[in-house]
Amino acid sequence: MIYTMVMMMKHWLTTPIFDKLVAHHNKKPISFHVPGHKNGSFFAKKGASFFNEILKLDVTELTGLDDLHSPEGVILESEKLLAELYGAKRSFLLVNGSTVGNLAMIMAAIDEEDTVLVQRNCHKSILHALQLANANPVFLNPEYERQWGVAGGLSVEIVETALKKYPNAKALIVTYPNYYGIVFELERIIDLAHKHGIPVLVDEAHGAHFIAGGIFPDSAVSLGADVVVQSAHKTLPAMTMGSFLHFNSELVCLKQIEAYLHIFQSSSPSYPIMASLDLARSYIASFDEQDIDYLFKQISGFKDNLSKIPGIHVLAYPNGRGDLLKITIQAKGLSGFELQKKLEERGVYAELADPNNLLFITPLLKKGMDYPFHQLTAHLSAIMKTELIGKAGGYKRKELCFQPPAISGLTFGFKEMKNLKRRKIPIEDAVGKIAAEMIVPYPPGIPLLFPGEIISHDHIEQLQALILTGAKFQGSNDILKGYIYIY
Amino acid sequence: MIYTMVMMMKHWLTTPIFDKLVAHHNKKPISFHVPGHKNGSFFAKKGASFFNEILKLDVTELTGLDDLHSPEGVILESEKLLAELYGAKRSFLLVNGSTVGNLAMIMAAIDEEDTVLVQRNCHKSILHALQLANANPVFLNPEYERQWGVAGGLSVEIVETALKKYPNAKALIVTYPNYYGIVFELERIIDLAHKHGIPVLVDEAHGAHFIAGGIFPDSAVSLGADVVVQSAHKTLPAMTMGSFLHFNSELVCLKQIEAYLHIFQSSSPSYPIMASLDLARSYIASFDEQDIDYLFKQISGFKDNLSKIPGIHVLAYPNGRGDLLKITIQAKGLSGFELQKKLEERGVYAELADPNNLLFITPLLKKGMDYPFHQLTAHLSAIMKTELIGKAGGYKRKELCFQPPAISGLTFGFKEMKNLKRRKIPIEDAVGKIAAEMIVPYPPGIPLLFPGEIISHDHIEQLQALILTGAKFQGSNDILKGYIYIY
């Protein structure tokens, strides 16, 4: 194999925040400060065994521990190591997930009424940011991956068309990779946007580990993106809500990003989460060629074994390029939701089910590390044996494809919507009405309908299909009861 | 002692979220989902001993674990128990600190250009919310506590005057108690505002434990406030960033609060933080009269011992009423910062130093629990012995009082400010100019100057005094170098 690995530097393995917290703890400090548990001395007894060790590091902005909102000590040091590793001008540790990174990068890049080009299958936090900024989003339809039955990435062509149609757009916002690990020609898209003087903001929530090397797709930072947000917690060994933001732009104002991060993140940020980000950066920086080789072999072997199970189909990435850590399968006669349920009954938990697919995320194994892949293989074999014996029928793969216009805006702006009245009607009566809520099938949390969009017949069909196959909808119980809010 | 205790119910001691997480862990689940550490199987080795136990609970929205953004299982159950305990119609668990609670309650209560009455010594998150909402804040000057040299609470009179002057105000935002535990006549203020049909939003960050009973000031929820935000992590045994929001209003829209919490909080909220909130509610719900008696005796005895140290003055609350857990002292010949430093050299960490004072937060001890109060007493005695021997002089208590107008607005609205140019000038040249940054001495994170305010001679004097005595300023290194941003 040929790798394009980042030349790792030894000091990238250091963990200044974690070390400082441990040093503080080792002094056996007496706390007369927040938090109320006082380094773990006070805590509900039944939680003690799980919490006691981490609470020793759950402190506040004491002398020497720096301040996330105005870093000049160990936090700045850790952020500098992060920026060096990823090749960014400036990187930030985030403690409120990629949600806060998306809010801050978008709010910083655009003003009220600005036109913004947005990949349609984006995370809801991107829509929220556009709503807060009172922007005018123009949605770009992603490519449809027929075999998977899911939305993929953006084509170069649609970006080209959109840039011509909206030369005054203030930003292009893309999601790379998608939830299933599918990537697209981001480098060409970035080049195109930059030729028009438009910054590219990337929600790379699922790609924090791409920096490890050439068996992974290129990191959006290295492809020239202006701002990139990554959920460190999703694929690196960090605590949930720990994320990164990387800045590399001549077009977006760094001070504005800092200002919005300050606004949107707790003024008492969690040190355990920050320390876990410090350790996670060190973990990924320690990956060498042997680790990558080992990881590749482990996961390839696992995928081969899965493929051999009768009735199980392991999906291949379009154009053969995607995230090694993600594995998506389809099972003969079973919907993704049904298969998920059967596996959970056996103690195996997948990342995401949709009508057709079940998605697994594998860990970032280093050389010599083990994971019970064989248990998943064994359980799947057992399930498929039962399912296939004497059974025809069962779930049939559905084409849930609906084709929104390639490029489309909202019928009402966010500001106008504020003054409109909402009401609830049965879903089947909603065709042609204006949606007054974001409809987000969950997971993966990608909006199917945006407030301000006209509800089409296709929308209704897809909604009803999702309800039938057992999808959940974030923020809305009404949908499951057959109701939708309109203006 | 006579208590006005909440009648505690046994089921308030239950911990549905924590229990469910433990039950999930006990099934020895195999994770093929986020986070990347896979229930703690993968984590940087040197962090393992601190992180391994908590990572077993650091999971995601798996079947049965509910969804913070659309709760209908264990999270909703925990929120219902919380609401019952505090006497709220609806309560929310927050994972991004009181910052997100303040943002959500304010954004939900007001629209663009609305006039809002705001206690001047508020947390920066309140200003951030007003800025995001493009509101017109009218600042109400708090009472000045001469002995403490700090801003206290609001007087009934100033609220009365403001309500007459601004009958169209859309909300009154107060901070109760202040950072030092000082309270004020909130009940009368709430009654006044409600007579004018104006909702009262309370930043009760430091009062989550007031629900425990009569030796504590009354909780803002029980005094009739519309929305109350509490930092559970500050005084209860919860993890940092764990907070509560309580809703009890006929005047504010609950759906709007839910919508903004959804926008401002991570779509991958931390289960350890949520579980710690569950356990913290159980902890405070378990307080009985004997616990309260014990706690009172412990802290009173400690305060008596502190008072006996030559040169140490333990401050008494104005009108004798304030938070038992907070202890503020002044030391002869030492500034608060100097005393803080000397204690830190001895391994004792206080909550907050200001030029005159040092503030300690004591833990919520239950009957039979110990805390090394005697060590603080011993260290303080030793320090004061050295300080007082043969020394006259040293730090003299400073009156850092500056009297802004009782009721004042911004010279520029938030929207106008967006289009103005900022520049940096030496502090001493700034009198009469319009501030272009929020100046927040830190801790306690209370703004001294707001963007859009005219900089007065008093502002400059207080700034220079703070710099001299070693204060830090959040989000700004320029101030310490003698520079300030103006329009």
Side-chain angles (χ1 to χ4, degrees):
Chain A
M1 287 180 74
I2 296 165
Y3 304 116
T4 55
M5 288 193 69
V6 176
M7 186 65 164
M8 293 297 172
M9 309 287 282
K10 241 192 174 162
H11 66 286
W12 295 346
L13 303 180
T14 61
T15 51
I17 301 175
F18 174 73
D19 295 354
K20 196 78 179 182
L21 289 171
V22 173
H24 177 74
H25 165 67
N26 287 340
K27 284 190 274 182
K28 297 196 171 53
I30 301 174
S31 163
F32 282 98
H33 54 76
V34 298
H37 59 68
K38 313 287 170 199
N39 305 327
S41 307
F42 300 92
F43 204 74
K45 257 184 210 154
K46 70 169 154 179
S49 70
F50 289 100
F51 283 87
N52 269 2
E53 288 304 309
I54 198 67
L55 295 181
K56 292 173 181 171
L57 308 186
D58 187 38
V59 289
T60 186
E61 285 76 16
L62 301 172
T63 308
L65 298 185
D66 209 1
D67 174 3
L68 180 67
H69 293 291
S70 184
E72 48 193 29
V74 287
I75 294 174
L76 184 61
E77 208 181 312
S78 178
E79 291 184 330
K80 279 183 176 167
L81 295 169
L82 183 64
E84 277 185 37
L85 171 63
Y86 280 85
K89 280 186 199 153
R90 178 85 172 86
S91 292
F92 297 89
L93 304 178
L94 310 181
V95 295
N96 188 24
S98 290
T99 295
V100 78
N102 285 340
L103 292 180
M105 79 173 170
I106 294 171
M107 296 283 285
I110 60 172
D111 286 323
E112 197 166 317
E113 305 293 344
D114 276 353
T115 295
V116 190
L117 307 178
V118 189
Q119 183 176 337
R120 187 179 178 86
N121 54 335
C122 63
H123 188 259
K124 63 197 158 102
S125 57
I126 286 175
L127 262 293
H128 289 154
L130 296 171
Q131 176 187 339
L132 284 174
N134 284 318
N136 290 323
V138 171
F139 298 107
L140 309 189
N141 209 23
E143 295 187 289
Y144 178 69
E145 304 297 344
R146 183 162 299 271
Q147 176 63 40
W148 302 54
V150 304
L154 282 183
S155 70
V156 176
E157 292 67 35
I158 201 170
V159 173
E160 220 160 9
T161 310
L163 288 170
K164 270 183 206 151
K165 198 167 168 193
Y166 299 95
N168 295 323
K170 290 293 156 43
L172 168 64
I173 306 172
V174 306
T175 303
Y176 168 99
N178 81 345
Y179 207 122
Y180 298 82
I182 296 172
V183 292
F184 52 98
E185 291 189 86
L186 183 57
E187 189 165 23
R188 283 183 60 198
I189 288 173
I190 291 173
D191 285 347
L192 262 176
H194 282 177
K195 270 182 200 141
H196 286 73
I198 292 174
V200 180
L201 315 180
V202 182
D203 176 358
E204 199 182 37
H206 291 266
H209 57 297
F210 286 2
I211 197 71
I215 51 164
F216 290 110
D218 290 315
S219 161
V221 190
S222 68
L223 297 180
D226 291 79
V227 191
V228 178
V229 173
Q230 299 170 333
S231 294
H233 62 91
K234 283 196 183 8
T235 50
L236 306 183
M239 281 189 88
T240 302
M241 297 210 305
S243 288
F244 299 144
L245 184 147
H246 305 290
F247 175 88
N248 247 348
S249 188
E250 309 285 337
L251 301 166
V252 181
C253 173
L254 179 62
K255 284 267 170 212
Q256 283 283 312
I257 290 182
E258 284 178 330
Y260 280 110
L261 289 177
H262 192 152
I263 288 176
F264 292 130
Q265 295 198 101
S266 173
S267 60
S268 305
S270 162
Y271 273 94
I273 293 176
M274 288 188 267
S276 82
L277 290 173
D278 208 20
L279 291 160
R281 186 251 312 129
S282 167
Y283 186 93
I284 190 76
S286 74
F287 254 70
D288 60 20
E289 288 189 30
Q290 290 185 321
D291 292 323
I292 295 274
D293 247 343
Y294 179 79
L295 178 66
F296 180 74
K297 277 178 197 149
Q298 291 289 310
I299 296 182
S300 309
F302 175 44
K303 282 170 95 165
D304 285 347
N305 289 337
L306 288 177
S307 311
K308 287 176 197 151
I309 302 171
I312 292 294
H313 177 52
V314 179
L315 296 182
Y317 285 117
N319 311 316
R321 194 119 181 99
D323 181 5
L324 178 72
L325 294 190
K326 300 277 179 83
I327 299 173
T328 302
I329 66 169
Q330 296 178 347
K332 197 178 166 188
L334 290 173
S335 76
F337 299 111
E338 287 164 346
L339 184 59
Q340 178 184 39
K341 193 160 173 259
K342 286 180 190 291
L343 278 173
E344 287 183 359
E345 284 162 5
R346 291 161 172 268
V348 180
Y349 290 79
E351 171 63 20
L352 171 73
D354 71 30
N356 297 323
N357 306 304
L358 194 58
L359 169 67
F360 303 102
I361 306 188
T362 57
L364 261 177
L365 298 162
K366 282 170 71 80
K367 201 182 161 195
M369 289 179 174
D370 264 339
Y371 204 64
F373 293 122
H374 60 282
Q375 290 197 34
L376 173 53
T377 318
H379 285 305
L380 268 181
S381 297
I383 290 167
M384 294 315 291
K385 251 184 208 152
T386 325
E387 287 304 315
L388 294 177
I389 288 172
K391 279 194 192 169
Y395 178 82
K396 290 263 180 287
R397 205 170 73 81
K398 287 193 178 69
E399 284 280 346
L400 284 175
C401 172
F402 82 105
Q403 284 296 342
I407 298 179
S408 62
L410 299 177
T411 305
F412 292 111
F414 291 114
K415 251 192 161 160
E416 287 169 281
M417 280 190 263
K418 266 192 182 166
N419 301 315
L420 295 176
K421 285 220 163 151
R422 300 164 83 236
R423 66 194 171 93
K424 197 162 75 173
I425 62 166
I427 290 180
E428 53 272 21
D429 300 344
V431 176
K433 302 284 194 293
I434 311 284
E437 59 178 331
M438 206 189 297
I439 302 290
V440 190
Y442 186 76
I446 292 170
L448 176 74
L449 262 174
F450 302 125
E453 272 199 322
I454 296 178
I455 301 167
S456 69
H457 188 71
D458 284 337
H459 285 128
I460 302 300
E461 271 196 348
Q462 184 154 17
L463 259 177
Q464 288 171 330
L466 281 162
I467 294 167
L468 276 178
T469 46
K472 289 196 278 181
F473 292 87
Q474 202 166 42
S476 168
N477 294 320
D478 291 312
I479 281 290
L480 289 180
K481 293 176 195 146
Y483 289 91
I484 189 167
Y485 279 90
I486 58 146
Y487 289 121
Chain B
M1 290 182 75
I2 297 164
Y3 304 115
T4 54
M5 288 191 67
V6 177
M7 186 65 164
M8 293 297 169
M9 309 286 281
K10 242 189 172 167
H11 66 285
W12 294 348
L13 304 180
T14 61
T15 51
I17 301 174
F18 174 72
D19 296 354
K20 196 77 177 183
L21 290 171
V22 173
H24 178 73
H25 165 68
N26 286 342
K27 283 190 275 182
K28 299 196 170 55
I30 301 174
S31 164
F32 283 96
H33 54 77
V34 299
H37 58 67
K38 312 287 169 198
N39 304 326
S41 305
F42 301 90
F43 204 73
K45 257 186 208 151
K46 69 169 156 180
S49 70
F50 289 100
F51 283 87
N52 269 3
E53 288 304 309
I54 198 66
L55 294 181
K56 293 174 180 169
L57 308 186
D58 187 38
V59 289
T60 186
E61 287 73 17
L62 301 172
T63 309
L65 299 184
D66 210 1
D67 174 2
L68 179 66
H69 292 292
S70 183
E72 48 192 30
V74 288
I75 295 174
L76 184 62
E77 207 182 314
S78 178
E79 291 185 330
K80 280 185 176 167
L81 294 169
L82 183 64
E84 278 186 35
L85 170 64
Y86 281 83
K89 280 184 201 158
R90 179 82 173 86
S91 292
F92 297 90
L93 304 179
L94 310 180
V95 295
N96 187 23
S98 290
T99 294
V100 77
N102 285 339
L103 291 180
M105 81 173 168
I106 293 170
M107 294 285 283
I110 61 173
D111 286 322
E112 196 166 317
E113 305 295 343
D114 277 353
T115 295
V116 189
L117 308 177
V118 189
Q119 184 176 337
R120 187 178 178 85
N121 55 333
C122 64
H123 187 261
K124 63 197 159 101
S125 58
I126 287 175
L127 263 292
H128 289 155
L130 296 171
Q131 177 188 338
L132 285 174
N134 285 317
N136 289 322
V138 171
F139 297 107
L140 310 189
N141 209 22
E143 295 188 289
Y144 179 69
E145 304 297 345
R146 183 162 297 270
Q147 176 64 42
W148 302 55
V150 304
L154 282 184
S155 70
V156 175
E157 291 68 34
I158 202 170
V159 174
E160 222 162 6
T161 309
L163 288 169
K164 270 182 204 149
K165 199 168 167 192
Y166 299 94
N168 295 324
K170 288 292 155 46
L172 168 63
I173 306 171
V174 306
T175 303
Y176 168 97
N178 80 347
Y179 206 121
Y180 299 83
I182 297 173
V183 292
F184 52 99
E185 291 189 86
L186 182 58
E187 189 166 23
R188 282 182 61 199
I189 287 173
I190 291 173
D191 285 348
L192 261 174
H194 283 177
K195 269 181 201 143
H196 286 74
I198 293 174
V200 181
L201 315 180
V202 183
D203 176 359
E204 200 181 39
H206 291 267
H209 57 299
F210 286 3
I211 197 71
I215 52 165
F216 289 110
D218 291 315
S219 160
V221 190
S222 68
L223 297 179
D226 292 79
V227 191
V228 179
V229 173
Q230 299 170 332
S231 294
H233 63 90
K234 282 195 181 11
T235 50
L236 306 182
M239 283 190 88
T240 301
M241 298 210 303
S243 288
F244 299 144
L245 184 147
H246 306 291
F247 175 87
N248 247 347
S249 187
E250 308 287 336
L251 301 166
V252 181
C253 174
L254 178 62
K255 284 265 171 212
Q256 284 283 311
I257 290 183
E258 284 177 333
Y260 280 110
L261 288 177
H262 192 153
I263 289 175
F264 292 130
Q265 296 198 100
S266 172
S267 61
S268 305
S270 162
Y271 272 95
I273 293 177
M274 287 189 268
S276 83
L277 289 172
D278 208 22
L279 291 159
R281 187 250 313 129
S282 167
Y283 186 93
I284 190 74
S286 74
F287 254 70
D288 61 20
E289 287 190 29
Q290 291 184 322
D291 291 324
I292 295 277
D293 245 346
Y294 178 80
L295 178 66
F296 180 75
K297 276 177 195 148
Q298 291 288 312
I299 296 182
S300 309
F302 175 45
K303 282 171 96 165
D304 284 348
N305 290 336
L306 289 177
S307 311
K308 286 176 197 151
I309 302 170
I312 291 295
H313 176 53
V314 179
L315 296 183
Y317 284 117
N319 311 314
R321 195 119 181 97
D323 180 5
L324 179 71
L325 294 191
K326 300 278 178 83
I327 300 173
T328 303
I329 67 169
Q330 296 178 348
K332 200 178 161 185
L334 289 172
S335 76
F337 299 111
E338 288 163 346
L339 184 59
Q340 178 185 38
K341 192 160 173 258
K342 286 179 188 291
L343 278 172
E344 286 183 0
E345 283 160 7
R346 291 160 172 267
V348 181
Y349 290 78
E351 170 65 20
L352 170 74
D354 70 31
N356 298 322
N357 305 303
L358 195 58
L359 168 67
F360 303 103
I361 306 188
T362 56
L364 261 178
L365 299 162
K366 285 170 69 82
K367 202 180 160 195
M369 289 178 174
D370 266 339
Y371 205 63
F373 294 122
H374 60 281
Q375 291 197 34
L376 173 54
T377 317
H379 285 305
L380 269 180
S381 296
I383 290 167
M384 293 315 291
K385 251 184 207 148
T386 325
E387 287 304 313
L388 294 177
I389 288 170
K391 280 195 191 167
Y395 179 81
K396 291 264 182 285
R397 204 170 75 79
K398 286 196 179 70
E399 283 281 344
L400 283 174
C401 173
F402 83 104
Q403 284 296 342
I407 298 178
S408 63
L410 300 179
T411 304
F412 292 111
F414 290 114
K415 253 194 158 157
E416 287 170 281
M417 281 189 264
K418 267 192 181 167
N419 301 316
L420 295 176
K421 283 219 163 153
R422 300 164 83 239
R423 65 195 173 94
K424 198 161 74 171
I425 61 168
I427 290 181
E428 52 274 19
D429 300 343
V431 176
K433 302 284 193 294
I434 310 285
E437 60 178 332
M438 207 187 304
I439 303 290
V440 190
Y442 185 74
I446 293 169
L448 177 73
L449 262 173
F450 303 125
E453 272 200 321
I454 296 176
I455 302 166
S456 68
H457 188 71
D458 285 337
H459 285 129
I460 303 297
E461 272 197 345
Q462 184 154 14
L463 259 177
Q464 288 172 332
L466 281 163
I467 293 166
L468 276 178
T469 48
K472 290 196 279 182
F473 292 86
Q474 201 165 42
S476 169
N477 295 318
D478 293 310
I479 280 292
L480 290 178
K481 293 175 195 149
Y483 289 91
I484 188 166
Y485 280 90
I486 58 148
Y487 288 120

